[in-house]
Structure formats: structure tokens, C-alpha cells
Amino acid sequence: MDVLLGKVIPLKHGFVGVVNRSQDAINKNKPIHKALMAEREFFQNHPVYRSIAGRLGTPYLARRLNVILMDHIKACLPEVKASIAAQIAETEEELFSYGSSIIDETTNLGALLLHLLQQFSSHFSNSLDGKSTEVSLSELYGGARISYIFHDVFARGLEEIDPFDYLTDQDIRTAIRNATGPRPALFVPEISFELLVRKQIERLLSPSLQCVDLVFDELQRVCSQCENHVAQLKRFPKLRSALANVVRSMLKDRVQPTKDMIQNLIQIELAYINTNHPDFIGGSKAVSTLMEEMAIRKQQLAHEQQQQQLLDMQLAHEQQQQQQQQQSSHSGRRKSIDSSPFGLTPQQSSSSSNRLVTRTRMNVSFRRFDC
């Protein structure tokens, strides 16, 4: 009795006593309603449980559980409704992001597919031409990135190639000796020259192939961006995946022919060395250039000698004037004052002479600098 009343082990909802069906009742197929009547009679006639017979039995337990379940539903229903409303709003927002259907998807599937392919193609083309509306402010993208690869990365890779790297004087000397045989060489043989040049031309292949790989990676990145920017493709995941795979496969198939074309261009340059190019300095042009430089150097030396002679003559003239002034200073103060031009004292005349010499030297120096 104390257990049923919750005095021994207190519970939130208390205890409910029931009479379970015995194995004998199961074997005899005793009906449920008779089992419930026997249970009610048991609690009503029992001397201990008679006072609480209204809170015992299977019918009371069913009503009690029903009340608890309803209270739990009422407590959880607002949260469930809010969760459902949030999921509906999120789903509607995702549906709105897919865009509105402008074509009947049930009857014009071919037109719908053509429309999606046209959108993807237009976005891909705009990304390469710089007409895309999704312009990134943090990094180069699409056609701008490809232009940077060609004009900066590839050009810098070519400029870093020094024609004299991996080419020592001993290599040049050995190539010349091998081309002339037992005879001494007066000029550089063409065979040895072409052999050394071909060795350096082959070094252009590596940066060229690297440029192809960089452009291929950028085109793949543009393809991935186009998948995300075409909103209606999100409705068809399989179509989106298949379209991306086809575009990547097409780009990948073009990589090897592009590399083959570059290798063929290098082979063309290796097959014929054009020595008639205006920028190429051959033997005759090298000799003529050397003679012109020697003639210019000879004229400069002659001009410098003339300037030096003029300077020596002016210095000699200044020295003669100084000697004459020193001789005139010994003839007496009055006589020197009378004979001094403009009535100057010997000290003033000497100072004026010194200023004249200084100005003359400066004029000579400036004339030599101008020459």
C-alpha cells in the first residue's frame, strides 16, 4: 500500500497497480473484457486496495497515460510548429534561388535543356571576355588571369632564361674544335654555332608547357564557377554534374594537342636557324660594327687631343702674363702704379690677373665638358 501511494519511492506521476493476465487465462483464451471485470472485482473486494480502487486497474492506467501524452504534446507543439515554419521558409528560399520556370518542364524538355546549355555557355564566354557580373575584387579571374599568365608569368619565365647558362667557354671551344677537325679555325664555324644555339633553344620548351598547364587550370576553375552561377542548374544535379564532366573532358582533350603544337614550333625553330634576321649580328655585321666603333673612338681621341692642346696653349699664355706682371712689379711703387692699367696697385693687378686665369680655366673646362 505504501508503495502504491508513493511513500517508499516517490515518483512524479506515481504508481498504478494492475492485474496482469496469468498464463492459465492465456491458455484458456479468457476474453479481455472478462479479465478487466475480474481485475475491477479484485481491487474493489480486496481489504487493502479497496480504498484506492478508483486509482488502480488497466482502464485508469490507460486514461492516465492518455492525459500525460496530451500534456506532453501541448507542451511540445509550439516548438514543433516553429521548427516546421522555419523549415518551410528555408525550403521556399531555396526554391526561389533556383529561379522561376520559363519553360514547361513536362512537355518542352529539349527546349529547357538547350536553354540551360546556352546559359552555361554565355556565362563561360563572359567570364573569359571580362563581361561577367560576378567580378572578384580580391584576385584575378577568367580572361584577366589568362592574360596575366601570358604577359607576366610566361614572359618572366622566358626573360629568366640566360642564353649563356649551362654554356661555358670550354664548351664553346670544344664545339669549335670538333667542327674544324685538324685545321685551325679563323672564324666560328656555322656547325658549331648551330649546335650551341639549338641547345639553348630547347630550354624554351619547359616554360611553354608550364604556361599550357596554368591556362588549363584556370579554365577548369572558370567551369566550376559557371556551375554555381547558373541557378537553374541546381534543379538538375545529374545534368549539372554531367555538363561539368563534359566540359572538363573537352578541355583535357585539348591539352595534349596544344602541347604537341608547341613542341612542333620548337622543332621548327631547331630545324632552321635564321641568320638573316635584322637583329642577328653575323660575321660581316660584327666586323662592320667593330670598325664603326673604332672610327668613333678615334674621332673622340682626336677631339680630346685638340682640347688638350688648346688648354696647354692657354696655360702657357697665362704663365707669360704672370711673368710679365712679376717683372713690372720690381720697377718701383710709383712707376708700377703709373704703368698699371686703370690705375691699379700691384696687389689689385695681381688679384685681377688671378681672377682672369681662373675664369679662363673654367671656360676651358666647360668647353671640354660640352665637347
mmCIF file of all heavy atoms in Angstrom, residues 68-105:
data_model
loop_
_atom_site.group_PDB
_atom_site.id
_atom_site.type_symbol
_atom_site.label_atom_id
_atom_site.label_comp_id
_atom_site.label_asym_id
_atom_site.label_seq_id
_atom_site.Cartn_x
_atom_site.Cartn_y
_atom_site.Cartn_z
ATOM 1 N N ILE A 68 -1.159 12.200 -19.785
ATOM 2 C CA ILE A 68 0.271 12.579 -19.824
ATOM 3 C C ILE A 68 0.724 12.839 -21.256
ATOM 4 O O ILE A 68 1.462 13.798 -21.534
ATOM 5 C CB ILE A 68 1.118 11.462 -19.171
ATOM 6 C CG1 ILE A 68 0.795 11.357 -17.663
ATOM 7 C CG2 ILE A 68 2.598 11.726 -19.376
ATOM 8 C CD1 ILE A 68 1.475 10.192 -16.973
ATOM 9 N N LEU A 69 0.248 11.977 -22.183
ATOM 10 C CA LEU A 69 0.636 12.170 -23.583
ATOM 11 C C LEU A 69 0.084 13.482 -24.125
ATOM 12 O O LEU A 69 0.788 14.216 -24.839
ATOM 13 C CB LEU A 69 0.131 10.986 -24.404
ATOM 14 C CG LEU A 69 0.401 11.044 -25.906
ATOM 15 C CD1 LEU A 69 1.908 11.095 -26.159
ATOM 16 C CD2 LEU A 69 -0.218 9.848 -26.612
ATOM 17 N N MET A 70 -1.133 13.807 -23.827
ATOM 18 C CA MET A 70 -1.715 15.058 -24.318
ATOM 19 C C MET A 70 -0.982 16.264 -23.736
ATOM 20 O O MET A 70 -0.744 17.255 -24.437
ATOM 21 C CB MET A 70 -3.199 15.097 -23.948
ATOM 22 C CG MET A 70 -4.068 14.083 -24.688
ATOM 23 S SD MET A 70 -4.010 14.309 -26.475
ATOM 24 C CE MET A 70 -4.759 15.909 -26.613
ATOM 25 N N ASP A 71 -0.665 16.204 -22.441
ATOM 26 C CA ASP A 71 0.088 17.323 -21.849
ATOM 27 C C ASP A 71 1.453 17.503 -22.514
ATOM 28 O O ASP A 71 1.905 18.644 -22.744
ATOM 29 C CB ASP A 71 0.257 17.080 -20.349
ATOM 30 C CG ASP A 71 -1.062 17.142 -19.596
ATOM 31 O OD1 ASP A 71 -2.009 17.743 -20.142
ATOM 32 O OD2 ASP A 71 -1.130 16.577 -18.471
ATOM 33 N N HIS A 72 2.103 16.389 -22.836
ATOM 34 C CA HIS A 72 3.417 16.468 -23.497
ATOM 35 C C HIS A 72 3.288 17.054 -24.900
ATOM 36 O O HIS A 72 4.118 17.883 -25.321
ATOM 37 C CB HIS A 72 4.034 15.072 -23.551
ATOM 38 C CG HIS A 72 5.384 15.046 -24.198
ATOM 39 N ND1 HIS A 72 6.516 15.569 -23.598
ATOM 40 C CD2 HIS A 72 5.788 14.573 -25.416
ATOM 41 C CE1 HIS A 72 7.547 15.417 -24.392
ATOM 42 N NE2 HIS A 72 7.124 14.801 -25.512
ATOM 43 N N ILE A 73 2.219 16.654 -25.603
ATOM 44 C CA ILE A 73 2.017 17.194 -26.949
ATOM 45 C C ILE A 73 1.742 18.695 -26.885
ATOM 46 O O ILE A 73 2.267 19.482 -27.689
ATOM 47 C CB ILE A 73 0.860 16.447 -27.643
ATOM 48 C CG1 ILE A 73 1.292 15.005 -27.956
ATOM 49 C CG2 ILE A 73 0.452 17.147 -28.932
ATOM 50 C CD1 ILE A 73 0.181 14.142 -28.510
ATOM 51 N N LYS A 74 0.904 19.098 -25.924
ATOM 52 C CA LYS A 74 0.613 20.526 -25.791
ATOM 53 C C LYS A 74 1.869 21.332 -25.445
ATOM 54 O O LYS A 74 2.033 22.467 -25.895
ATOM 55 C CB LYS A 74 -0.445 20.733 -24.710
ATOM 56 C CG LYS A 74 -1.821 20.218 -25.104
ATOM 57 C CD LYS A 74 -2.815 20.439 -23.976
ATOM 58 C CE LYS A 74 -4.205 19.919 -24.338
ATOM 59 N NZ LYS A 74 -5.185 20.120 -23.239
ATOM 60 N N ALA A 75 2.764 20.727 -24.652
ATOM 61 C CA ALA A 75 3.989 21.447 -24.283
ATOM 62 C C ALA A 75 4.962 21.552 -25.451
ATOM 63 O O ALA A 75 5.667 22.563 -25.609
ATOM 64 C CB ALA A 75 4.655 20.747 -23.094
ATOM 65 N N CYS A 76 5.007 20.517 -26.286
ATOM 66 C CA CYS A 76 5.982 20.497 -27.401
ATOM 67 C C CYS A 76 5.414 21.068 -28.688
ATOM 68 O O CYS A 76 6.190 21.313 -29.637
ATOM 69 C CB CYS A 76 6.451 19.066 -27.649
ATOM 70 S SG CYS A 76 7.346 18.335 -26.256
ATOM 71 N N LEU A 77 4.114 21.240 -28.783
ATOM 72 C CA LEU A 77 3.520 21.670 -30.052
ATOM 73 C C LEU A 77 4.010 23.037 -30.525
ATOM 74 O O LEU A 77 4.310 23.208 -31.708
ATOM 75 C CB LEU A 77 1.992 21.671 -29.911
ATOM 76 C CG LEU A 77 1.217 21.964 -31.196
ATOM 77 C CD1 LEU A 77 1.547 20.931 -32.253
ATOM 78 C CD2 LEU A 77 -0.290 21.988 -30.911
ATOM 79 N N PRO A 78 4.165 24.072 -29.681
ATOM 80 C CA PRO A 78 4.664 25.368 -30.194
ATOM 81 C C PRO A 78 6.065 25.266 -30.802
ATOM 82 O O PRO A 78 6.342 25.872 -31.848
ATOM 83 C CB PRO A 78 4.643 26.257 -28.955
ATOM 84 C CG PRO A 78 3.627 25.648 -28.065
ATOM 85 C CD PRO A 78 3.724 24.173 -28.269
ATOM 86 N N GLU A 79 6.931 24.503 -30.129
ATOM 87 C CA GLU A 79 8.292 24.356 -30.666
ATOM 88 C C GLU A 79 8.269 23.613 -31.997
ATOM 89 O O GLU A 79 9.015 23.971 -32.931
ATOM 90 C CB GLU A 79 9.148 23.611 -29.650
ATOM 91 C CG GLU A 79 10.601 23.460 -30.069
ATOM 92 C CD GLU A 79 11.429 22.735 -29.026
ATOM 93 O OE1 GLU A 79 10.886 22.434 -27.934
ATOM 94 O OE2 GLU A 79 12.613 22.464 -29.303
ATOM 95 N N VAL A 80 7.404 22.582 -32.093
ATOM 96 C CA VAL A 80 7.307 21.833 -33.348
ATOM 97 C C VAL A 80 6.774 22.726 -34.459
ATOM 98 O O VAL A 80 7.262 22.701 -35.601
ATOM 99 C CB VAL A 80 6.415 20.591 -33.150
ATOM 100 C CG1 VAL A 80 6.161 19.885 -34.477
ATOM 101 C CG2 VAL A 80 7.050 19.623 -32.167
ATOM 102 N N LYS A 81 5.764 23.533 -34.137
ATOM 103 C CA LYS A 81 5.214 24.443 -35.145
ATOM 104 C C LYS A 81 6.264 25.449 -35.607
ATOM 105 O O LYS A 81 6.359 25.759 -36.794
ATOM 106 C CB LYS A 81 3.999 25.158 -34.565
ATOM 107 C CG LYS A 81 2.794 24.250 -34.340
ATOM 108 C CD LYS A 81 1.674 24.978 -33.634
ATOM 109 C CE LYS A 81 1.112 26.086 -34.476
ATOM 110 N NZ LYS A 81 -0.045 26.740 -33.828
ATOM 111 N N ALA A 82 7.067 25.981 -34.670
ATOM 112 C CA ALA A 82 8.112 26.941 -35.058
ATOM 113 C C ALA A 82 9.169 26.281 -35.935
ATOM 114 O O ALA A 82 9.662 26.876 -36.916
ATOM 115 C CB ALA A 82 8.756 27.537 -33.811
ATOM 116 N N SER A 83 9.530 25.048 -35.599
ATOM 117 C CA SER A 83 10.522 24.333 -36.402
ATOM 118 C C SER A 83 9.999 24.061 -37.808
ATOM 119 O O SER A 83 10.728 24.228 -38.802
ATOM 120 C CB SER A 83 10.896 23.026 -35.706
ATOM 121 O OG SER A 83 11.799 22.275 -36.485
ATOM 122 N N ILE A 84 8.726 23.666 -37.897
ATOM 123 C CA ILE A 84 8.139 23.413 -39.212
ATOM 124 C C ILE A 84 8.081 24.700 -40.035
ATOM 125 O O ILE A 84 8.384 24.709 -41.236
ATOM 126 C CB ILE A 84 6.736 22.793 -39.042
ATOM 127 C CG1 ILE A 84 6.844 21.395 -38.433
ATOM 128 C CG2 ILE A 84 6.019 22.722 -40.393
ATOM 129 C CD1 ILE A 84 5.521 20.764 -38.099
ATOM 130 N N ALA A 85 7.707 25.812 -39.390
ATOM 131 C CA ALA A 85 7.647 27.096 -40.106
ATOM 132 C C ALA A 85 9.028 27.516 -40.606
ATOM 133 O O ALA A 85 9.173 28.024 -41.729
ATOM 134 C CB ALA A 85 7.049 28.165 -39.193
ATOM 135 N N ALA A 86 10.066 27.292 -39.783
ATOM 136 C CA ALA A 86 11.428 27.644 -40.204
ATOM 137 C C ALA A 86 11.876 26.782 -41.384
ATOM 138 O O ALA A 86 12.499 27.277 -42.336
ATOM 139 C CB ALA A 86 12.390 27.481 -39.033
ATOM 140 N N GLN A 87 11.564 25.504 -41.347
ATOM 141 C CA GLN A 87 11.932 24.628 -42.461
ATOM 142 C C GLN A 87 11.184 24.997 -43.741
ATOM 143 O O GLN A 87 11.751 24.945 -44.835
ATOM 144 C CB GLN A 87 11.658 23.175 -42.079
ATOM 145 C CG GLN A 87 12.567 22.633 -40.986
ATOM 146 C CD GLN A 87 12.265 21.189 -40.651
ATOM 147 O OE1 GLN A 87 11.398 20.566 -41.259
ATOM 148 N NE2 GLN A 87 12.969 20.660 -39.655
ATOM 149 N N ILE A 88 9.901 25.392 -43.582
ATOM 150 C CA ILE A 88 9.137 25.817 -44.769
ATOM 151 C C ILE A 88 9.755 27.069 -45.373
ATOM 152 O O ILE A 88 9.909 27.185 -46.602
ATOM 153 C CB ILE A 88 7.664 26.043 -44.378
ATOM 154 C CG1 ILE A 88 6.993 24.708 -44.033
ATOM 155 C CG2 ILE A 88 6.914 26.733 -45.518
ATOM 156 C CD1 ILE A 88 5.578 24.859 -43.518
ATOM 157 N N ALA A 89 10.124 28.043 -44.522
ATOM 158 C CA ALA A 89 10.733 29.283 -45.033
ATOM 159 C C ALA A 89 12.068 29.003 -45.712
ATOM 160 O O ALA A 89 12.373 29.566 -46.776
ATOM 161 C CB ALA A 89 10.912 30.275 -43.887
ATOM 162 N N GLU A 90 12.882 28.120 -45.122
ATOM 163 C CA GLU A 90 14.177 27.776 -45.725
ATOM 164 C C GLU A 90 13.994 27.076 -47.063
ATOM 165 O O GLU A 90 14.720 27.349 -48.026
ATOM 166 C CB GLU A 90 14.955 26.890 -44.756
ATOM 167 C CG GLU A 90 16.355 26.528 -45.242
ATOM 168 C CD GLU A 90 17.096 25.651 -44.248
ATOM 169 O OE1 GLU A 90 16.551 25.417 -43.133
ATOM 170 O OE2 GLU A 90 18.201 25.189 -44.586
ATOM 171 N N THR A 91 12.999 26.181 -47.124
ATOM 172 C CA THR A 91 12.746 25.470 -48.378
ATOM 173 C C THR A 91 12.239 26.415 -49.452
ATOM 174 O O THR A 91 12.644 26.318 -50.628
ATOM 175 C CB THR A 91 11.729 24.347 -48.139
ATOM 176 O OG1 THR A 91 12.195 23.488 -47.092
ATOM 177 C CG2 THR A 91 11.534 23.519 -49.403
ATOM 178 N N GLU A 92 11.363 27.339 -49.071
ATOM 179 C CA GLU A 92 10.872 28.311 -50.050
ATOM 180 C C GLU A 92 11.989 29.217 -50.554
ATOM 181 O O GLU A 92 12.028 29.575 -51.731
ATOM 182 C CB GLU A 92 9.751 29.137 -49.423
ATOM 183 C CG GLU A 92 8.462 28.357 -49.192
ATOM 184 C CD GLU A 92 7.391 29.214 -48.542
ATOM 185 O OE1 GLU A 92 7.747 30.345 -48.113
ATOM 186 O OE2 GLU A 92 6.233 28.771 -48.466
ATOM 187 N N GLU A 93 12.899 29.590 -49.645
ATOM 188 C CA GLU A 93 14.036 30.420 -50.073
ATOM 189 C C GLU A 93 14.937 29.667 -51.038
ATOM 190 O O GLU A 93 15.421 30.219 -52.031
ATOM 191 C CB GLU A 93 14.822 30.861 -48.843
ATOM 192 C CG GLU A 93 15.981 31.795 -49.159
ATOM 193 C CD GLU A 93 16.728 32.224 -47.914
ATOM 194 O OE1 GLU A 93 16.305 31.837 -46.800
ATOM 195 O OE2 GLU A 93 17.742 32.941 -48.053
ATOM 196 N N GLU A 94 15.184 28.402 -50.755
ATOM 197 C CA GLU A 94 15.998 27.598 -51.669
ATOM 198 C C GLU A 94 15.300 27.429 -53.013
ATOM 199 O O GLU A 94 15.944 27.507 -54.073
ATOM 200 C CB GLU A 94 16.262 26.228 -51.043
ATOM 201 C CG GLU A 94 17.142 25.327 -51.893
ATOM 202 C CD GLU A 94 17.386 23.983 -51.244
ATOM 203 O OE1 GLU A 94 16.860 23.758 -50.124
ATOM 204 O OE2 GLU A 94 18.084 23.141 -51.861
ATOM 205 N N LEU A 95 13.993 27.229 -52.984
ATOM 206 C CA LEU A 95 13.228 27.106 -54.227
ATOM 207 C C LEU A 95 13.264 28.398 -55.022
ATOM 208 O O LEU A 95 13.374 28.389 -56.255
ATOM 209 C CB LEU A 95 11.785 26.720 -53.905
ATOM 210 C CG LEU A 95 10.844 26.529 -55.100
ATOM 211 C CD1 LEU A 95 11.345 25.403 -55.984
ATOM 212 C CD2 LEU A 95 9.439 26.256 -54.630
ATOM 213 N N PHE A 96 13.213 29.546 -54.314
ATOM 214 C CA PHE A 96 13.279 30.832 -55.002
ATOM 215 C C PHE A 96 14.642 31.056 -55.634
ATOM 216 O O PHE A 96 14.752 31.704 -56.678
ATOM 217 C CB PHE A 96 12.961 31.953 -54.006
ATOM 218 C CG PHE A 96 13.016 33.332 -54.602
ATOM 219 C CD1 PHE A 96 11.990 33.799 -55.402
ATOM 220 C CD2 PHE A 96 14.104 34.164 -54.362
ATOM 221 C CE1 PHE A 96 12.037 35.062 -55.955
ATOM 222 C CE2 PHE A 96 14.166 35.431 -54.918
ATOM 223 C CZ PHE A 96 13.130 35.882 -55.708
ATOM 224 N N SER A 97 15.714 30.530 -54.983
ATOM 225 C CA SER A 97 17.061 30.691 -55.537
ATOM 226 C C SER A 97 17.241 29.927 -56.839
ATOM 227 O O SER A 97 18.106 30.259 -57.641
ATOM 228 C CB SER A 97 18.109 30.230 -54.521
ATOM 229 O OG SER A 97 18.000 28.833 -54.289
ATOM 230 N N TYR A 98 16.427 28.887 -57.057
ATOM 231 C CA TYR A 98 16.523 28.136 -58.306
ATOM 232 C C TYR A 98 15.968 28.907 -59.494
ATOM 233 O O TYR A 98 16.229 28.560 -60.639
ATOM 234 C CB TYR A 98 15.783 26.804 -58.177
ATOM 235 C CG TYR A 98 16.419 25.839 -57.219
ATOM 236 C CD1 TYR A 98 15.677 24.878 -56.559
ATOM 237 C CD2 TYR A 98 17.781 25.889 -56.968
ATOM 238 C CE1 TYR A 98 16.260 23.990 -55.670
ATOM 239 C CE2 TYR A 98 18.381 25.018 -56.081
ATOM 240 C CZ TYR A 98 17.615 24.061 -55.433
ATOM 241 O OH TYR A 98 18.209 23.187 -54.565
ATOM 242 N N GLY A 99 15.212 29.951 -59.218
ATOM 243 C CA GLY A 99 14.648 30.744 -60.299
ATOM 244 C C GLY A 99 13.295 30.212 -60.730
ATOM 245 O O GLY A 99 12.916 29.069 -60.461
ATOM 246 N N SER A 100 12.575 31.074 -61.428
ATOM 247 C CA SER A 100 11.246 30.694 -61.913
ATOM 248 C C SER A 100 11.366 29.972 -63.238
ATOM 249 O O SER A 100 12.257 30.237 -64.053
ATOM 250 C CB SER A 100 10.376 31.940 -62.071
ATOM 251 O OG SER A 100 10.967 32.844 -62.988
ATOM 252 N N SER A 101 10.468 29.064 -63.465
ATOM 253 C CA SER A 101 10.477 28.279 -64.693
ATOM 254 C C SER A 101 9.861 29.092 -65.816
ATOM 255 O O SER A 101 8.739 29.591 -65.707
ATOM 256 C CB SER A 101 9.706 26.978 -64.487
ATOM 257 O OG SER A 101 9.662 26.245 -65.689
ATOM 258 N N ILE A 102 10.604 29.246 -66.902
ATOM 259 C CA ILE A 102 10.084 29.981 -68.059
ATOM 260 C C ILE A 102 9.675 29.038 -69.170
ATOM 261 O O ILE A 102 9.180 29.466 -70.210
ATOM 262 C CB ILE A 102 11.152 30.970 -68.581
ATOM 263 C CG1 ILE A 102 12.407 30.226 -69.016
ATOM 264 C CG2 ILE A 102 11.471 32.006 -67.523
ATOM 265 C CD1 ILE A 102 13.448 31.126 -69.635
ATOM 266 N N ILE A 103 9.899 27.749 -68.967
ATOM 267 C CA ILE A 103 9.564 26.745 -69.974
ATOM 268 C C ILE A 103 8.817 25.620 -69.283
ATOM 269 O O ILE A 103 9.146 25.252 -68.150
ATOM 270 C CB ILE A 103 10.828 26.207 -70.677
ATOM 271 C CG1 ILE A 103 11.561 27.356 -71.375
ATOM 272 C CG2 ILE A 103 10.481 25.121 -71.679
ATOM 273 C CD1 ILE A 103 12.853 26.943 -72.008
ATOM 274 N N ASP A 104 7.829 25.071 -69.938
ATOM 275 C CA ASP A 104 7.099 23.942 -69.384
ATOM 276 C C ASP A 104 8.006 22.734 -69.324
ATOM 277 O O ASP A 104 8.396 22.178 -70.360
ATOM 278 C CB ASP A 104 5.869 23.648 -70.243
ATOM 279 C CG ASP A 104 4.964 22.605 -69.590
ATOM 280 O OD1 ASP A 104 5.301 22.157 -68.478
ATOM 281 O OD2 ASP A 104 3.935 22.256 -70.204
ATOM 282 N N GLU A 105 8.388 22.338 -68.108
ATOM 283 C CA GLU A 105 9.375 21.283 -67.931
ATOM 284 C C GLU A 105 8.828 19.905 -68.283
ATOM 285 O O GLU A 105 9.584 18.952 -68.390
ATOM 286 C CB GLU A 105 9.879 21.284 -66.483
ATOM 287 C CG GLU A 105 10.553 22.586 -66.087
ATOM 288 C CD GLU A 105 10.968 22.576 -64.634
ATOM 289 O OE1 GLU A 105 10.766 21.540 -63.984
ATOM 290 O OE2 GLU A 105 11.486 23.597 -64.152
#
